[in-house]
């Protein structure tokens, strides 16, 4: 979980410098990326293939609800000095649509790492 947090933070900062056109750097999104890494790390680290789908669903659900919808919407409201509700509705819809796609992709990567032996060798 701790290395996953570091990767989340580093990835967010590098992503900003590679594409700064989205506006000023905001550390709240780095915190969100760190929390996302922490949650994935807690839920998926050293989990068996047998129950992996349930851990993936749980981790994506927690991140979708608490990080993407609640926390990131709060950061947008703070950044742009607008009411939370202005951003919340469209973000709820977007995350509701994206949820199954995230589960499918993350589970596929998890299984690919399992089948190729990457998880056993490095994790």
């Amino acid at each position: 979980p701790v290395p996953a947090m570091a990767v989340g933070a580093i990835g967010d900062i590098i992503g900003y410098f590679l594409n700064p056109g989205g506006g000023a750097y905001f550390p709240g999104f780095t915190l969100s990326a760190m929390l996302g890494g922490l949650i994935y790390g807690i839920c998926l680290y050293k989990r068996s293939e047998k129950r992996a789908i349930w851990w993936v669903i749980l981790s994506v659900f927690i991140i979708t609800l608490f990080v993407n919808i609640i926390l990131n919407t709060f950061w947008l409201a703070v950044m742009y000095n607008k009411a939370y509700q202005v951003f919340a509705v469209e973000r709820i819809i977007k995350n509701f649509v994206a949820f199954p796609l995230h589960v499918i992709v993350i589970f596929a990567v998890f299984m690919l790492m399992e089948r190729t032996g990457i998880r056993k060798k490095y994790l």
Side-chain angles (χ1 to χ4, degrees):
V2 175
M5 284 178 63
V7 168
I10 292 166
D12 181 70
I13 292 167
I14 290 172
Y16 168 75
F17 285 112
L18 291 177
N19 185 22
Y25 172 76
F26 188 75
F29 292 115
T30 303
L31 176 63
S32 292
M34 290 173 65
L35 287 173
L38 176 68
I39 293 165
Y40 281 129
I42 290 170
C43 290
L44 301 177
Y45 183 64
K46 293 195 177 181
R47 299 295 178 193
S48 70
E49 189 177 343
K50 190 184 296 184
R51 293 200 172 106
I53 187 66
W54 299 110
W55 285 107
V56 170
I57 291 169
L58 177 65
S59 62
V60 173
F61 176 77
I62 292 169
I63 290 170
T64 298
L65 181 62
F66 294 108
V67 177
N68 295 350
I69 293 175
I70 295 172
L71 195 56
N72 285 349
T73 304
F74 175 73
W75 298 140
L76 287 171
V78 168
M79 274 181 67
Y80 294 107
N81 198 24
K82 295 194 180 203
Y84 186 88
Q85 294 81 2
V86 171
F87 299 104
V89 173
E90 74 179 46
R91 293 185 58 78
I92 290 169
I93 294 167
K94 176 247 178 204
N95 280 281
F96 180 75
V97 170
F99 179 82
L101 299 173
H102 288 166
V103 169
I104 291 167
V105 169
I106 292 168
F107 182 69
V109 170
F110 182 94
M111 295 307 291
L112 181 65
M113 290 174 66
E114 189 71 30
R115 300 254 159 78
T116 58
I118 293 172
R119 285 191 66 231
K120 287 182 181 174
K121 186 174 181 181
Y122 296 105
L123 304 176

